[in-house]
């Protein structure tokens, strides 16, 4: 059974987290999902629900997969050295790393995306990508795959990205069945991104 660390921090975007978890949590994949935070204290989302983490940074860094959600608060978390060190430690050894929306900025601040292609929320694109200038930021993409790193555009795009990661790990047919089982219309074209134009990026 593979293990997946799902990061939470105060102000995390709910759909960034729960959308991919809906896909990744399909019993067909037999993933053991662990919610991880800086401490064991319940963590409020952007919408003020609290989630109780299963474990904290100090407990473990050995996971097969990593999910990093975004949210406006992600940029502040990028100033936390302990947060960045934990992400760096987990991501370095993980088989697959997924970051949603501004969670990609958080991942980019670790240096692990330097020289790699990645994308992030289009509405915040120009205000955030300068924080990780060595990343090859892609302006128009629903999600981007570069090696073991999967990064997505804003919020709902995380579900498409998670399905793409599952397709790579377990096969396209299984990922398609997961989308069907949730009655979700999977946008499996990574380049289909109408929001880039609306945000004035292209």
């Amino acid at each position: 059974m593979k293990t997946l660390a799902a990061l939470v921090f105060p102000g995390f975007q709910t759909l960034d987290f729960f959308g991919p978890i809906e896909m990744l949590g399909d019993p067909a994949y037999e993933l053991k999902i662990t919610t991880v935070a800086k401490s064991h204290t319940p963590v409020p989302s952007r919408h003020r629900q609290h989630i109780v983490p299963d474990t904290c940074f100090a407990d473990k860094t050995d996971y097969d997969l990593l999910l990093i959600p975004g949210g406006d608060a992600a940029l502040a978390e990028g100033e936390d050295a302990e947060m960045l060190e934990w992400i760096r430690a987990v991501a370095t050894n993980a088989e697959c790393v997924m970051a949603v929306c501004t969670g990609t900025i958080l991942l980019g601040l670790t240096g692990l995306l330097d020289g790699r292609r990645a994308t992030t929320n289009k509405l915040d694109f120009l205000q955030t990508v300068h924080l990780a200038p060595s990343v090859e930021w892609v302006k128009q993409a629903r999600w981007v795959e570069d090696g073991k790193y999967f990064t997505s555009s804003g919020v709902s795009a995380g579900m498409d990205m998670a399905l793409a990661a599952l397709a790579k790990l377990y096969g396209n047919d299984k990922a398609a069945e997961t989308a069907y089982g949730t009655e979700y219309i999977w946008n499996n074209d990574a380049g289909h991104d109408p929001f880039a134009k609306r945000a004035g990026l292209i």
Side-chain angles (χ1 to χ4, degrees):
M1 177 178 286
K2 294 182 186 296
T3 57
L4 184 148
L7 175 66
V8 290
F9 49 81
F12 72 92
Q13 186 82 27
T14 51
L15 192 60
D16 284 12
F17 181 85
F18 290 108
I21 289 296
E22 179 68 37
M23 306 305 171
L24 297 162
D26 185 330
Y29 306 112
E30 298 184 338
L31 286 174
K32 178 177 171 53
I33 299 174
T34 301
T35 303
V36 187
K38 187 172 183 178
S39 74
H40 290 284
T41 305
V43 180
S45 75
R46 177 180 179 237
H47 301 102
R48 297 179 296 282
Q49 313 103 321
H50 285 71
I51 187 167
V52 179
D54 298 308
T55 189
C56 64
F57 294 166
D59 292 338
K60 183 177 178 179
T61 58
D62 182 18
Y63 298 93
D64 298 306
L65 291 82
L66 173 62
L67 172 66
I68 305 169
D72 293 339
L75 303 183
E77 295 299 325
E79 300 176 4
D80 186 328
E82 184 180 1
M83 168 77 75
L84 295 183
E85 182 52 39
W86 181 84
I87 292 173
R88 188 180 295 112
V90 175
T92 296
N93 296 313
E95 176 183 354
C96 179
V97 179
M98 297 163 281
V100 184
C101 193
T102 50
T104 302
I105 304 298
L106 198 51
L107 179 60
L109 288 168
T110 68
L112 293 174
L113 292 180
D114 287 0
R116 293 184 177 274
R117 298 171 69 251
T119 197
T120 187
N121 188 309
K122 299 310 180 297
L123 293 178
D124 294 331
F125 196 92
L126 297 178
Q127 290 73 41
T128 58
V129 295
H130 69 278
L131 297 171
S134 296
V135 178
E136 186 181 334
W137 292 108
V138 180
K139 292 182 178 180
Q140 185 174 24
R142 183 69 170 168
W143 78 88
V144 169
E145 175 188 354
D146 191 325
K148 69 178 182 180
Y149 295 96
F150 286 78
T151 58
S152 86
S153 187
V155 195
S156 64
M159 292 184 286
D160 294 326
M161 176 204 68
L163 287 165
L166 288 170
K168 181 176 183 179
L169 293 169
Y170 299 98
N172 192 76
D173 288 347
K174 288 189 75 170
E177 279 297 312
T178 296
Y180 177 75
T182 57
E183 296 194 11
Y184 179 69
I185 300 173
W186 177 20
N187 174 9
N188 60 2
D189 178 358
H192 180 64
D193 178 19
F195 300 100
K197 184 173 183 179
R198 293 190 63 180
L201 299 177
I202 58 172

